[in-house]
Structure formats: structure tokens, C-alpha cells
Amino acid sequence: MEKMNPDLIPITSWLPTTLKEAKRRGWEELDVVLVTGDAYVDHPAFGTAVIGRILESLGLKVAIIAQPNWRDDLRDFKKFGKPKYFFGVTSGNMDSMVNKYTAGKRLRSTDAYTPGGSPDFRPDYATIVYTKILKELYPDTPVVLGGIEASLRRVTHYDFWQDKLLPNILTMSGADLLIYGMGEQPLRDLVKFLLRGVPFHSLKTLPQTALLIDEKEELPKNKQWETFELTSHEKCLKDKLSYTKNFMHVEVESNKQFAKRLIQKVEGKTLIINPPYQTMTEKEIDASFDLPYTRLPHPKYKNRGPIAAYEMIKFSVNTHRGCFGGRSFCTISAHQGKMIASRSQASIMKEVDHITRMHDFKGYLSDLGGPSANMYQMKGIDQDICDKCAAPSCIFPQVCKNLETNPRHMTELYRKVSEHPKVKKAFVSSGLRYDLMFNPRSQHPKEDEEYVEQLITHHVSGRLKVAPEHTEDNVLKMMRKPSFEYFKIFKKKFEEISAKIGSKQEIIPYFISSHPGCTPEDMARLAAKTKALGYKLEQVQDFTPTPMTVATEVYYSGYHPYTLKPVKTAIGLDDKTKQRTFFFWYRPENRNYIKNFLAKNKMFDVAKELFGQI
Ligand code: SF4
């Protein structure tokens, strides 16, 4: 089959980014205009492209304003005029503050979602800035929010960058509706009603949306939903314990298949968060991935340099969405859901085939993965039990008996992809949950073994990154992560198989410092235990409190949302830097500090491991 030459693809294959491009499609006016903080990459891994393609598939005329200039005469915002139905606003694939600032609150020098990496193409709190501008220019046109930034700021939340609690993002931006989580299902229903002529502002009971009504207004009726009232925003501001308890309710509901509707009083209004849709079926998720993406950045970026986030994933395939790991510092289940929505093998192979025809594809797929690579096709054995379950994780503190963890579908998929005549190698570089591979209660040890063998023999690109995150049980428990012993088992197996196939491939472990509940003593033990395994660590990170995670609530409030017991956390820069120092025990400049700390705390065993003596 012939390679695709991107220069020969007609401009009308992308969604329009200018009025001229819209006219080339024969569109004089638009139904929906999407505004995003990222460059427009027409690829299923980029939220704006997905939303644009869904709207297009529903017969709407949709255009994209990517990275508009918010500091000039606002011509970017005006270029399409007023759309017939609504503006859709997103900060892009990341929360704009996480995108722009480091864990130390320093401005990043590059932006992975901007051509050439230029760091100055999106404002702080992009969703709010864009919405306010649109509301100023077109006060009567509804604005619908979506994407990570809006989704995870849908209720009172802690903002690390301002170091305070903020109200939900509808209150802050003035938008009319918020779609949280993955947008396909709510968007389809929203459009269905709008096309039938239902007025926008009467749509108050769409699942997976949030909106504000006047405090005195009666709650919209929906007989199927129970309603739970959260502590008001104003009380949260005054009482950290009430706030952190609030979060527990939000998380519990977002992990249920049949959640309650949440309401919260805020500044004279009532915030309504309607329950989410059920997990997407295979047919539904396939339909989203099978839309006619060019899989390329818009040609207007051609001379502006590469878009790093695109370069990273352009030869990779997302096999599923969702994550049932429930890590305390992770936002995936709050956004994509706890249950896994897996694509069919046919849909995945169709995408693999498309990639092999890309002009610069050299035969190497960089990733066959998902939020956790090895959860593909995993689900509850008895769905009725899952339907009544509110556990934040299906694998912590141990793998649930009702979870089907047989990896045979993945092994089959990996083999099938490897057999594609144009694929030399397909790597797995997304995160892996090795506790699933070495589950002591597994009912299918043979299939587990086959998967591990297939993975390590054929799908490692030299260095396999895995994330134990920590070595100490008390910290791992706080993170909702398995014991470090699982890492050791995985490492041993990895080395055995690698030796058997004569490969020099290695495991690169990834760790976090300053996670709530982690002390300098824990970090000292981490240093000793990883040194004992022969590591000088490289892949490390300081904990960043991002909106809507258990760990963030502990960081802010000092209490665990579930137990309401106090938890100590490194807050100040000094304490955080000290914790980080232990990662780099081997650097001469850190020796004295670490040695003194160990002597003072009588941690002679650690000192002996790290330095031979004190
Ligand atoms: S019953 Fe088990 S598998 Fe199902 S949702 Fe609950 S923890 Fe997960």
C-alpha cells in the first residue's frame, strides 16, 4: 500500500481554522466554534479534534480557534462571528497551570502542545480567560466548557498556584454548561436536543454535565437520580475538615456506575453536577476512534517547528480508556472513569494500518497503551456487583475477586499487531501495573506468564519505565499503590527474560517525593532500598497538588478525606527540596546533608547502605 503524502492532503480534510477554510467546505456560517489552548492536531489523542470530529459526524458545521491571542484586539475570537448553537471552550489536553508551571511554581520554558515549544501561547487559567472574552463579545451565545481543566475544577477545589480554595469553574468563568469527563456521550445528547429545537438553557438534566441555577430555583426533576448536597462553598472556605469530607463524596460518586446527582450552594447559586453516563460500550468507543482524523497537525504549523506532544504519540495507539487503579495523586478515574472502555481489535488494527501508511513511519509503533497499559479488556466478572460498588480502586489494597484480570486479550492483540507486515516492533511505553501481572490470587497463572513473556520479549524499547512511586509501605498505602515487593518480583522476571533473549534492556523506575504522608526518613529508606537494587535514580518527581485528587486534599487540609485523620505533608519549598535530596544521595554536594540527617536520626543501617559508614 502506498504511503500518504501529507502535502497532497486537501485542506478541507482538517476542520476549518479560518473563515476562508470554512468557505472552502461551503460553510458560510458555523454551528459550533471550539476555542482551545492547544495547537490543533487532528488526532484522536487531542480532545479538541475528538470533539470537533464528533460534532462534524452529527452534521454540524464546526470550526476551531486554536491558541487565540487574548492580549490584542481579540480578532482571533471574532473571526468566525457568532455560531448558531454554542462556543466550546477548553484549555487543551492539560490543565493550563500544570502545563505552564513546574511543581516549584516556576514558569516552564517550553509548551509541548505548541509548535516549536513556545511557552507563551496560552494564558493562565485558559478556560476562564477565553470564556470571559467570549461572554464579553457574544453575551447571548452559550459557552460549553470541556477538557481536563474544566472537568477537574467542576466543584470547590484547591488551587496550588494561588494556594487557596476556588469555587467551581462555571462560577469563575461565566460559562453556561460544563461537560465533565470524556465528552462524546453528553455531547451527542446535547446536540440531539439542540437540533430538535430545544432551547439551550432548558437542558438541565443531561447526564455528565454541570450547571448553575439560582439558589431559589427548584431543582430540575429527574426521577432516576438521588441527589446529595455537598457542603457549601462558603463553608468549605471556613472549614478545612468539611471541605476534605466533601471531596470524599465527590470521589465516591464519580467512582460509581450509578452515581447520585451532586449539588452545592455557591455565591447565591446552586451548582448541579448531574451523574455521569455508563462506561462507553465497545461500539461507542470504536465509533469515536474511527472518525476521519488526518492524524496530523493542521498544515498552518508547518514552518513553526514540531509539536512535542504530537511527536511523542504520532506512532502510538490508544487501546482503551479509564483506570481502576485509583492512585491518590492521579486524576484519570475522575476524568476518564474507573471502568475500562476498550476498543475492539478490529478498530485498533485499522488505526495501526493507518499509521503504517504515514509518510514518515519507519516500522516502529512507540506505544500500544492506555492510562495503564495492561488493563485492556479488563472488567468486572459480575457487572451487577460492580454496579453497586463505590470502591475507589479495583486493585488496592488487593485485586478484587470480581475483577477479570486475564491478560489473554492483550497478549493476542500484541501478537496480532506484531504480525502486521509493516510493523517491525510495537512497544508498550504507557505505565504498567505489575501487581496485576503477579496477582497471588490469579485464576490464570499460565496466561499471566504468557503476557509477561510476550511483553518483555517483544515490546520493550530498550528502557522500560515503570512507576513503583515509592518503596515504603506507609507512603504506598497513602498513594493506594502496591508493596515495593511487587516491583522486585517484576524486576527479577524482567532480568531473567532479558538474559534469556540476550537483550541489554533495562527497567527505569520512577519515584515521587513529598507525597502526603511521606517523611524525610521515608525518603532516606527509599534511597537505601533503590541503591541496594543498583539504581542511581533519574526518573523522579516532586508531588504537585493538582485539582481533584485525594492527595491534593490531604496536602491542603492536612486530613485524609476518608478517615479524617491528620496526615503530615512537606509543604514548604525547603522541606520539599530536602526530600528530593535523598533521590540524589550519590551527588557529592548532598553527602554532608544526608550523612548528618542519618546520624541525627540514628538511621545507621541506611547510612551503611548508602555510604558504607557515617
Ligand atoms: S466490584 Fe470489584 S471489580 Fe467491580 S468495581 Fe468494585 S472493586 Fe472493581
Side-chain angles (χ1 to χ4, degrees), residues 4-44:
M4 291 176 295
N5 181 346
D7 294 333
L8 299 179
I9 300 174
I11 190 73
T12 46
S13 298
W14 283 266
L15 294 169
T17 61
T18 61
L19 202 53
K20 198 170 149 202
E21 287 169 24
K23 284 185 174 161
R24 288 197 53 182
R25 282 182 164 229
W27 298 349
E28 290 299 326
E29 56 170 35
L30 280 307
D31 293 321
V32 177
V33 173
L34 302 175
V35 182
T36 171
D38 290 344
Y40 169 34
V41 181
D42 189 38
H43 186 286

Side-chain angles (χ1 to χ4, degrees), residues 179-211:
I179 289 180
Y180 65 92
M182 305 307 279
E184 289 101 333
Q185 293 159 296
L187 201 66
R188 281 183 194 280
D189 274 356
L190 171 66
V191 170
K192 182 177 81 189
F193 287 113
L194 294 176
L195 290 177
R196 278 187 205 156
V198 179
F200 187 97
H201 288 105
S202 69
L203 293 168
K204 295 178 180 172
T205 53
L206 282 178
Q208 217 168 300
T209 62
L211 64 147

Side-chain angles (χ1 to χ4, degrees), residues 231 239-249 478 550 553-554 557-568:
T231 307
D239 178 3
K240 285 188 172 179
L241 213 54
S242 296
Y243 165 69
T244 198
K245 212 164 150 188
N246 237 10
F247 175 79
M248 192 262 297
H249 294 297
M478 189 63 70
V550 175
E553 309 317 332
V554 178
S557 70
Y559 297 98
H560 195 285
Y562 284 75
T563 62
L564 299 184
K565 287 191 179 144
V567 179
K568 276 197 177 157

Side-chain angles (χ1 to χ4, degrees), residues 255 257 324 338-339 379-396 398-404:
N255 281 325
Q257 278 296 289
F324 48 70
K338 182 175 76 167
M339 304 315 277
K379 55 185 172 205
I381 296 165
D382 182 344
Q383 187 56 41
D384 285 349
I385 301 178
C386 296
D387 286 350
K388 294 179 195 84
C389 175
S393 169
C394 302
I395 49 178
F396 182 85
Q398 54 195 2
V399 178
C400 173
K401 279 189 191 154
N402 191 42
L403 183 69
E404 176 54 87

Side-chain angles (χ1 to χ4, degrees), residues 40 56 59-60 93 128-129 137 145 162 191 218 262 280 283 310 317 336 415 422 433 473 479 482 535 560 562 603-604:
Y40 169 34
E56 182 193 34
L60 297 192
N93 268 13
I128 300 172
V129 172
L137 295 172
L145 306 183
Q162 294 184 46
V191 170
E218 207 187 318
L262 297 173
M280 282 173 107
K283 201 170 156 209
Y310 169 69
V317 183
Q336 293 198 0
R415 288 181 182 154
K422 295 278 163 45
R433 288 297 299 234
D473 282 345
M479 292 174 163
Y535 287 112
H560 195 285
Y562 284 75
M603 297 178 80
F604 303 117

